Amino acid sequence: MSDPHAITREIDRSHMQVSDEVAIQITSMNKWYGAFHVLRDINMTVNRGERIVICGPSGSGKSTLIRCINRLEEHQSGHIIVDGTELTNDLKNIDKVRSEVGMVFQHFNLFPHLTILENCTLAPIWVRKVPRKEAEETAMHYLSKVKIPEQAHKYPGQLSGGQQQRVAIARSLCMRPRIMLFDEPTSALDPEMIKEVLDTMIELAEEGMTMLCVTHEMGFAQAVANRVIFMDQGQIVEQNEPKEFFNNPQSDRTKLFLSQILGH
Amino acid sequence: MPTKAAFVRKDMLAPQEPPVSERGAIKWARENLFSGPLNTFLTIVGVLAVFLIVKSALPWLLNGVWNANSMAECREIVAARHGEGATGACWAMVRERWHQYLFGFYPQELFWRPTMAFGLMFVALAPVLYFGNRTINMRMTAVAGVLTILALAGVSASFPQTIAGSEAGGLALLAAVIVFAGLTAVAWMAPRRLLILTLLYPAIGFYLLWGGSIWGPVGALAGFAILAVVYNLTKAQLGVVVATGAGVVVAAIWWLVVQSHVTGALHSILPLGTAHVDSDEFGGFLLAFVIGVTAIAASLPMGILLALGRRSDMPLIKALSVGFIEFIRGVPLITMLFTASLLLQYFLPPRSNFDLILRVIILVTFFSAAYIAEVIRGGLAALPRGQYEAADALGLDYWQAQRLIVMPQALKISIPGIVSSFIGLFKDTTLVALVGLHDPLQGVTKVVRAAIEWKGIYWEPYIFVGLIFFACCFSMSRYSMYLERKLKRDHR
């Protein structure tokens, strides 16, 4: 297996316990784009502390699935319950879920007109109503954690891609979310920047954060995930522990996919 | 053992000047003026054209007469100085009639009021135009103050029969000095406090210009207080949008129906006020600024709301916004002005005597807002979807996302377009001549030309008015460039 970003470091699993408490519950969820059936009968349960990697070919609906969890996309049937709050058309519920769930995007989506520090303090100040000074302290704490406190007063345009993505992670963490969603966080990065972002994500996992990652970084999946979900054509085709998933795939579609991404 | 091909440099060469044909003016001229036969030809034609224009216009400008009492006297002086048949501008008209170009038929003894309003306008604008910049705020306030006081002194000197002639004049000047000194101090110590003046300025400016009972502007301000109270009382139950709507409706009822009775009663109990000036007496640049500045200030927020409305998911709001924008953009401004002067009266409650200038301002504002809305929509469309998603994902609600994330970026993109619209709007204020108001270009010039002593004057008023318009519009354009530079954030 040749993975350019094989995780070589020792991983501290002491905090990585999965509790019985349910964080996300999705039951028979369907979504259409017009007449196109993008997500078909999705059922999944995520317990608190779980680290789940979702993979699959492009167009398989994996991004759409995690975007449904904080209602960036609307589902048309079935139920999504996040932290005990069901996502419906009720705007209050949606805002509540969104403030508990952090999200990191493929293209970072930092706010270019605000400094790094302002990017990190904006939501705590306006959504959580945290006093500015406290919000800035929290922001500096998380910026140190992602190892770029010295960039706090620059603008996003002055940072490299990897640094921007780490700021995006810090920005989400400043809201002290209970669940983190990652939507292909390393796909838009140069190879040498991928590692710094993955390291940040691993640290987050080591602290016991509940994480759902759409990613093709199989090294990360093997090192950190406790479950890998494989999707194709809008459906969950296979899910298993990483070791089993990679060494003993069950369905033909999974075998084909794994041979394609790991075989070269 | 060195080979034949070996070379060792002993003396390093000092840098030399490039050849004469490759530097300075010669290089520039060769590259920009004479780079080929066609360009050489065009350069010669261009120089010739400029020469001919200057040759015919320059004597006229240089022979200008500043001291004369009539057109005929001007002509005599030119003939006497430069010989029969010489041409010369008659700037004496400007010297004689400048106050009409500035104030129209505003009562001369009250010229201090528009002067003061104009000076205070810059103080009120400072914290908006240069937000958070203490030095510029203070400088702008101080300069506006000094110039206003000089202008007040100048106006009093030109019209000795006015307020300055009396003891009260000295007191008024002293009051102006105190006001501006106080404002400069505020700008220095707490520049954000100046925003209070900015918020109150519409009422202050209105009262300075129109005068009358003090209860009028107080009543108008009370309408805003009512709006705020209704909003705060109902926000919890009804949500932001409905609460705002309810506030606006109650405030509108107050303004249109109740206010006149209450202020009338208050005035009969406590008749505080100053001399009332009727809208008919407004004219010149006073009128252009009243209409232009008010419409600019009001059309920006209205344009933002219309642009957001046009992109709204709510069908009714979207339909209303699209309908408004397309209707207004489809109708010529002249038509709207005629509507203002004739039709609007029919739609308002009976006996509500809406001032003509106010009506014109409202329709010019609508007109400009429709264009601004489209400019801002362009800015909104240029924002990547990721910005909206990131704001949503962080849990910001719609209005927070618009205010903190979307608008700062969209407005920044739209600055050139918005300022273009504003410049156009400011120049369009001259069109009010068509509904009988005395705008500087047409209205006042017509009055001046109708006077026997200035009969036959032609270019001078247009050049004078044109120069002032140019100065205003050019300043706006430079300000927009400053703002673009200041807000530039992508250092890539």
Coordinates of all heavy atoms in Angstrom, one line a residue, chain B residues 274-324:
Chain B
T274 N -37.9 79.7 15.1 CA -37.2 80.8 14.4 C -38.0 81.1 13.1 O -38.9 80.4 12.8 CB -35.8 80.5 14.0 OG1 -35.8 79.2 13.4 CG2 -34.9 80.5 15.2
A275 N -37.5 82.1 12.3 CA -38.2 82.5 11.1 C -38.3 81.3 10.1 O -37.3 80.5 10.0 CB -37.4 83.6 10.4
H276 N -39.5 81.1 9.6 CA -39.7 80.0 8.7 C -39.3 80.4 7.3 O -39.6 81.5 6.8 CB -41.2 79.6 8.7 CG -41.5 78.6 7.6 ND1 -41.1 77.2 7.7 CD2 -42.1 78.7 6.5 CE1 -41.5 76.6 6.7 NE2 -42.1 77.4 5.9
V277 N -38.6 79.6 6.5 CA -38.2 79.9 5.2 C -39.0 78.9 4.3 O -39.0 77.7 4.5 CB -36.7 79.7 4.9 CG1 -36.4 80.0 3.5 CG2 -36.0 80.6 5.8
D278 N -39.7 79.4 3.3 CA -40.5 78.5 2.4 C -39.6 77.9 1.4 O -38.6 78.4 1.0 CB -41.6 79.4 1.8 CG -42.8 78.5 1.4 OD1 -43.4 78.0 2.4 OD2 -43.0 78.2 0.3
S279 N -40.1 76.7 1.0 CA -39.3 75.9 0.0 C -39.2 76.7 -1.3 O -38.2 76.5 -2.1 CB -40.0 74.6 -0.3 OG -39.8 73.7 0.7
D280 N -40.1 77.6 -1.7 CA -40.0 78.3 -2.9 C -38.8 79.2 -2.9 O -38.3 79.6 -4.0 CB -41.2 79.3 -3.0 CG -42.5 78.5 -3.1 OD1 -42.4 77.3 -3.3 OD2 -43.6 79.1 -2.9
E281 N -38.3 79.5 -1.7 CA -37.1 80.5 -1.7 C -35.8 79.7 -1.8 O -34.8 80.4 -1.9 CB -37.2 81.2 -0.3 CG -38.4 82.1 -0.3 CD -38.6 82.7 1.1 OE1 -39.2 82.0 2.0 OE2 -38.3 83.9 1.3
F282 N -35.8 78.4 -1.7 CA -34.6 77.6 -1.9 C -34.2 77.7 -3.4 O -35.0 77.8 -4.3 CB -34.8 76.2 -1.5 CG -34.8 75.9 -0.1 CD1 -35.7 76.6 0.8 CD2 -34.0 75.0 0.5 CE1 -35.7 76.4 2.1 CE2 -34.0 74.7 1.9 CZ -34.9 75.4 2.7
G283 N -32.9 77.6 -3.6 CA -32.4 77.6 -4.9 C -30.9 77.4 -5.0 O -30.2 77.3 -4.0
G284 N -30.4 77.4 -6.2 CA -28.9 77.3 -6.4 C -28.3 76.0 -5.8 O -29.0 75.0 -5.7
F285 N -27.1 76.1 -5.4 CA -26.4 74.9 -4.8 C -27.0 74.5 -3.5 O -26.9 73.3 -3.2 CB -24.9 75.1 -4.7 CG -24.2 75.0 -6.1 CD1 -23.9 76.1 -6.8 CD2 -24.0 73.7 -6.6 CE1 -23.3 75.9 -8.0 CE2 -23.4 73.6 -7.8 CZ -23.0 74.7 -8.5
L286 N -27.6 75.4 -2.8 CA -28.3 75.0 -1.6 C -29.3 73.9 -1.9 O -29.4 72.8 -1.3 CB -29.0 76.2 -1.0 CG -30.1 75.9 0.1 CD1 -29.4 75.2 1.3 CD2 -30.7 77.2 0.6
L287 N -30.1 74.1 -3.0 CA -31.1 73.1 -3.4 C -30.4 71.8 -3.9 O -30.8 70.7 -3.5 CB -31.9 73.7 -4.5 CG -33.1 72.9 -5.0 CD1 -34.2 72.9 -3.9 CD2 -33.7 73.6 -6.2
A288 N -29.4 72.0 -4.7 CA -28.7 70.8 -5.3 C -28.2 70.0 -4.1 O -28.2 68.7 -4.2 CB -27.6 71.2 -6.2
F289 N -27.6 70.6 -3.1 CA -27.0 69.8 -2.0 C -28.1 69.2 -1.1 O -28.0 68.1 -0.7 CB -26.1 70.7 -1.1 CG -24.7 70.7 -1.6 CD1 -24.2 71.7 -2.5 CD2 -23.9 69.7 -1.2 CE1 -22.9 71.6 -2.9 CE2 -22.6 69.6 -1.7 CZ -22.1 70.6 -2.6
V290 N -29.2 70.0 -0.9 CA -30.3 69.4 -0.1 C -30.8 68.1 -0.7 O -30.9 67.1 -0.1 CB -31.4 70.4 0.1 CG1 -32.7 69.8 0.7 CG2 -31.0 71.5 1.1
I291 N -31.1 68.3 -2.0 CA -31.7 67.1 -2.7 C -30.6 66.0 -2.9 O -30.8 64.8 -2.5 CB -32.2 67.5 -4.1 CG1 -33.4 68.5 -3.9 CG2 -32.7 66.3 -4.9 CD1 -33.9 69.1 -5.2
G292 N -29.4 66.4 -3.3 CA -28.4 65.4 -3.6 C -27.9 64.7 -2.4 O -28.0 63.4 -2.4
V293 N -27.6 65.4 -1.3 CA -27.0 64.7 -0.1 C -28.1 63.9 0.5 O -27.8 62.7 0.9 CB -26.5 65.8 0.9 CG1 -26.1 65.1 2.2 CG2 -25.3 66.5 0.2
T294 N -29.3 64.4 0.7 CA -30.4 63.6 1.3 C -30.6 62.3 0.5 O -30.8 61.2 1.1 CB -31.7 64.4 1.4 OG1 -31.4 65.7 1.8 CG2 -32.6 63.8 2.4
A295 N -30.8 62.5 -0.8 CA -31.1 61.3 -1.6 C -29.9 60.3 -1.6 O -30.2 59.1 -1.5 CB -31.4 61.7 -3.1
I296 N -28.7 60.8 -1.6 CA -27.6 59.9 -1.5 C -27.6 59.1 -0.2 O -27.5 57.9 -0.2 CB -26.2 60.6 -1.6 CG1 -26.0 61.0 -3.1 CG2 -25.1 59.8 -1.1 CD1 -24.8 61.9 -3.3
A297 N -27.8 59.8 0.9 CA -27.8 59.2 2.2 C -28.9 58.2 2.4 O -28.8 57.1 3.0 CB -27.9 60.2 3.3
A298 N -30.1 58.5 1.8 CA -31.2 57.6 2.0 C -31.2 56.5 1.0 O -31.7 55.4 1.2 CB -32.5 58.4 1.8
S299 N -30.6 56.7 -0.2 CA -30.8 55.7 -1.3 C -29.8 54.5 -1.0 O -30.1 53.4 -1.5 CB -30.6 56.2 -2.6 OG -29.3 56.7 -2.8
L300 N -28.7 54.7 -0.3 CA -27.8 53.6 0.0 C -28.5 52.5 0.8 O -28.5 51.3 0.4 CB -26.5 54.1 0.6 CG -25.5 53.0 0.8 CD1 -25.1 52.4 -0.6 CD2 -24.2 53.5 1.5
P301 N -29.0 52.8 2.0 CA -29.7 51.7 2.8 C -30.9 51.2 2.0 O -31.1 49.9 2.0 CB -30.1 52.4 4.0 CG -29.9 53.9 3.9 CD -28.9 54.1 2.8
M302 N -31.6 52.0 1.3 CA -32.8 51.5 0.6 C -32.3 50.6 -0.6 O -32.9 49.5 -0.8 CB -33.5 52.7 0.0 CG -34.9 52.3 -0.5 SD -35.8 53.7 -0.9 CE -37.1 53.0 -1.9
G303 N -31.2 50.9 -1.2 CA -30.7 50.1 -2.3 C -30.2 48.7 -1.7 O -30.4 47.7 -2.4
I304 N -29.6 48.8 -0.5 CA -29.1 47.5 0.1 C -30.3 46.6 0.3 O -30.3 45.4 0.0 CB -28.4 47.8 1.4 CG1 -27.1 48.5 1.1 CG2 -28.1 46.5 2.1 CD1 -26.3 48.9 2.3
L305 N -31.4 47.2 0.9 CA -32.6 46.4 1.2 C -33.2 45.8 -0.1 O -33.6 44.6 -0.1 CB -33.6 47.2 2.0 CG -33.2 47.5 3.4 CD1 -34.3 48.3 4.1 CD2 -32.9 46.2 4.2
L306 N -33.3 46.7 -1.1 CA -33.8 46.2 -2.4 C -33.0 45.1 -3.0 O -33.5 44.1 -3.5 CB -33.9 47.3 -3.4 CG -35.1 48.3 -3.2 CD1 -35.0 49.5 -4.1 CD2 -36.4 47.6 -3.4
A307 N -31.7 45.2 -2.9 CA -30.8 44.2 -3.5 C -31.0 42.9 -2.7 O -31.1 41.8 -3.3 CB -29.4 44.6 -3.4
L308 N -31.1 43.0 -1.4 CA -31.3 41.7 -0.6 C -32.7 41.2 -0.9 O -32.9 40.0 -1.0 CB -31.2 42.0 0.9 CG -29.8 42.4 1.4 CD1 -29.8 42.7 2.9 CD2 -28.9 41.2 1.1
G309 N -33.7 42.1 -1.0 CA -35.0 41.6 -1.4 C -35.1 40.9 -2.7 O -35.7 39.9 -2.8
R310 N -34.3 41.4 -3.6 CA -34.3 40.7 -4.9 C -33.7 39.4 -4.9 O -34.1 38.5 -5.7 CB -33.6 41.6 -5.9 CG -33.8 41.2 -7.3 CD -33.4 42.2 -8.4 NE -33.9 41.6 -9.7 CZ -34.0 42.3 -10.8 NH1 -33.6 43.6 -10.8 NH2 -34.4 41.8 -11.9
R311 N -32.8 39.1 -4.0 CA -32.2 37.8 -3.8 C -32.9 36.9 -2.8 O -32.4 35.8 -2.5 CB -30.7 37.9 -3.5 CG -29.9 38.4 -4.6 CD -28.5 38.8 -4.2 NE -27.8 37.6 -3.7 CZ -27.0 36.9 -4.5 NH1 -26.8 37.2 -5.7 NH2 -26.4 35.8 -4.0
S312 N -34.0 37.4 -2.2 CA -34.7 36.7 -1.1 C -35.3 35.5 -1.6 O -35.7 35.3 -2.8 CB -35.7 37.7 -0.5 OG -36.5 36.9 0.4
D313 N -35.5 34.5 -0.6 CA -36.2 33.3 -1.0 C -37.7 33.5 -0.9 O -38.5 32.6 -1.3 CB -35.8 32.2 0.0 CG -34.4 31.8 -0.1 OD1 -33.8 32.0 -1.2 OD2 -33.8 31.4 1.0
M314 N -38.1 34.6 -0.2 CA -39.5 34.8 0.0 C -40.2 35.4 -1.3 O -39.8 36.5 -1.7 CB -39.8 35.7 1.2 CG -39.4 35.0 2.5 SD -39.6 36.1 3.9 CE -38.0 36.6 4.3
P315 N -41.1 34.7 -1.9 CA -41.6 35.1 -3.2 C -42.2 36.5 -3.2 O -42.0 37.3 -4.1 CB -42.7 34.1 -3.5 CG -42.5 33.0 -2.6 CD -41.7 33.5 -1.4
L316 N -43.0 36.9 -2.1 CA -43.6 38.2 -2.1 C -42.6 39.3 -2.0 O -42.6 40.3 -2.8 CB -44.5 38.3 -0.8 CG -45.3 39.6 -0.8 CD1 -46.3 39.6 -1.9 CD2 -46.0 39.7 0.6
I317 N -41.6 39.2 -1.1 CA -40.6 40.2 -1.0 C -39.8 40.3 -2.3 O -39.5 41.4 -2.8 CB -39.6 39.8 0.2 CG1 -40.5 39.9 1.4 CG2 -38.4 40.7 0.2 CD1 -39.7 40.1 2.7
K318 N -39.5 39.2 -2.9 CA -38.7 39.2 -4.1 C -39.5 39.9 -5.2 O -39.0 40.7 -5.9 CB -38.4 37.7 -4.6 CG -37.6 37.7 -5.8 CD -37.1 36.3 -6.1 CE -36.4 36.3 -7.4 NZ -35.4 35.3 -7.6
A319 N -40.8 39.5 -5.3 CA -41.6 40.1 -6.4 C -41.7 41.6 -6.2 O -41.6 42.4 -7.2 CB -43.0 39.5 -6.4
L320 N -41.9 42.1 -5.0 CA -42.0 43.5 -4.7 C -40.7 44.2 -5.1 O -40.8 45.3 -5.7 CB -42.3 43.7 -3.2 CG -43.8 43.5 -2.8 CD1 -43.9 43.7 -1.3 CD2 -44.7 44.4 -3.5
S321 N -39.6 43.6 -4.7 CA -38.3 44.3 -5.0 C -38.1 44.3 -6.5 O -37.7 45.4 -7.0 CB -37.2 43.5 -4.3 OG -37.4 43.4 -3.0
V322 N -38.3 43.2 -7.2 CA -38.1 43.2 -8.6 C -39.0 44.2 -9.3 O -38.6 45.0 -10.1 CB -38.3 41.8 -9.2 CG1 -38.3 41.8 -10.7 CG2 -37.3 40.8 -8.7
G323 N -40.3 44.2 -8.9 CA -41.2 45.1 -9.5 C -40.8 46.6 -9.3 O -40.8 47.3 -10.2
F324 N -40.4 46.9 -8.1 CA -40.0 48.3 -7.8 C -38.8 48.7 -8.6 O -38.8 49.7 -9.3 CB -39.7 48.4 -6.3 CG -39.3 49.8 -5.8 CD1 -40.2 50.6 -5.4 CD2 -38.0 50.2 -5.9 CE1 -39.9 51.9 -5.0 CE2 -37.6 51.5 -5.5 CZ -38.6 52.3 -5.0

